[in-house]
Amino acid sequence: MWIGIDDTDSPTGMCTTYIGAVLVRRLDERGMRVRDARLIRLNPNVIHKTRGNAAIAIEAEGDPETAFALTCACVEALAEFDDPRTNPGVVVARVRPPPDFYYAALREFCTVEEAVGVLESVGALYRGYKNRRGLIGATAAVASELPDLTYELLAYRRREVWGRPREVDRESLFYAEETTGPHTWDTVDQENAVVVGVPHTPDPVLFGIRGESPAWVREARSFVRSEEQACEQVYATNQGTDAHLVAGVIGALREGRSYLVRGTVASEPATGVGGHVSLLLADEGGEVRCMAYEPTKGFRDVVRALVPGDVVVAAGSYKGGSLNLEKLGIACLADAVRVRPPVCPACERRMTSAGTGKGYKCRVCGERSREPEVEHLERPLRPGWYEVPSTARRHLARPLVRGVPAWEDELLSSGQGCDRVNKTNFTKEDL
Ligand code: ATP
């Protein structure tokens, strides 16, 4: 049977993954063997999410009625019912729903009625509390399929210390990642020297370690020194897989969906208030603004180094009319040249235009030239993939240490190359 849980926490406490970990132990105590425990991330753009839009699915052997009673008891004992935005959902399905609903909840927006329709169609046991919204995530988790997957080990705190500052040794986290990377990632952000895997929210999570197998996350965990923990759980997960991305065409992007889009840079990148960097990307369908927000730190330098004419593939969520960048593939760099009047060979002063179509003239000695000076600008970028740092990575985004899925690489290498671009915005000092 498959057990699904969602929407149990609030900004002031609890975490659905913790209830999942407790339930795994309760099932085990009752002799129901747990085969699989999944942490499923859904559409990161849903407005109702508390933090990372996570839901839990557990595959277990045993009597569904007993498991349903046990799961409801766990949720009723632990969920943050007082928060108006907490609307738990519990599902137990003997027959697993087809994955369509999972993909819809991952990439689109769903309703409670749609979730109930799926549950009824497979004869599942289910209970939605309050406005029952949690049934969406619980159903999607149960219906999830993981053609690509990673693992996360979550260590939980003892109840007495919930809400107090966490004691996790910083150096040990860096050491854990140095020793087990690239098989684990995002425990720390080496580039920005910050810890990523220890939350600051008042929930029961002590730290999380992400990696390619249960063995690697456990290995990394063995290096971490911390306060005494209550328990830990290794989840299989769609985190770090890019499962939220679909191929998009600029004119047809829809609000709240996440895309991989190929296009040509159509404006100089601009740094706005707060350090956010934006540029326009164009394809035959039109133009879209791409944003690299301040928290993406050094990634913004990649975006700033682009010039009109560069052909790129941009990954991110389309929100409020902008594509919020998670990753960028550079297909082809434009041949950026700076065209200026030539320097006079006699007096070594830069000539000026002699009028439209009349070439250039030295204002000092009267020397003339027909040809401008063409300077090929050194580009600080190379074709290939660039990503936001660990500290700014979304749960579903696939880190480059895991490689790039074939369809993403195909999109990068498909289509037309770059146009030649003249960078003519030289300054007065250049003259
Ligand atoms: P938690 O740890 O409790 O799961 P969270 O950050 O994951 O916290 P939730 O509290 O679960 O967020 O809130 C997300 C809500 O949005 C849930 O009720 C879930 O059922 C619902 N939901 C998830 N995906 C979609 C979707 N694609 N369309 C509509 N609702 C969704």
Side-chain angles (χ1 to χ4, degrees), residues 6-7 40 76 78 122 160 244 325 389 417 423:
D6 196 19
D7 207 340
I40 300 297
E76 285 160 24
L78 294 169
V122 294
E160 311 88 88
H244 59 317
L325 296 175
K423 189 174 167 70

Side-chain angles (χ1 to χ4, degrees), residues 6-9 16 48 50-54 105 108 110 133 137:
D6 196 19
D7 207 340
T8 63
D9 63 5
T16 305
H48 308 295
T50 311
R51 282 179 285 269
N53 202 7
E108 305 274 336
C110 306
R133 191 181 291 124

Side-chain angles (χ1 to χ4, degrees), residues 6-9 15-17 41-43 46 48-55 85 87 104-106 108-111 133-138:
D6 196 19
D7 207 340
T8 63
D9 63 5
C15 175
T16 305
T17 72
R41 299 282 175 182
L42 299 168
N43 188 341
V46 305
H48 308 295
K49 68 177 182 175
T50 311
R51 282 179 285 269
N53 202 7
R85 289 159 298 177
N87 299 284
L106 174 67
E108 305 274 336
F109 296 93
C110 306
T111 63
R133 191 181 291 124
L135 283 176
I136 299 171

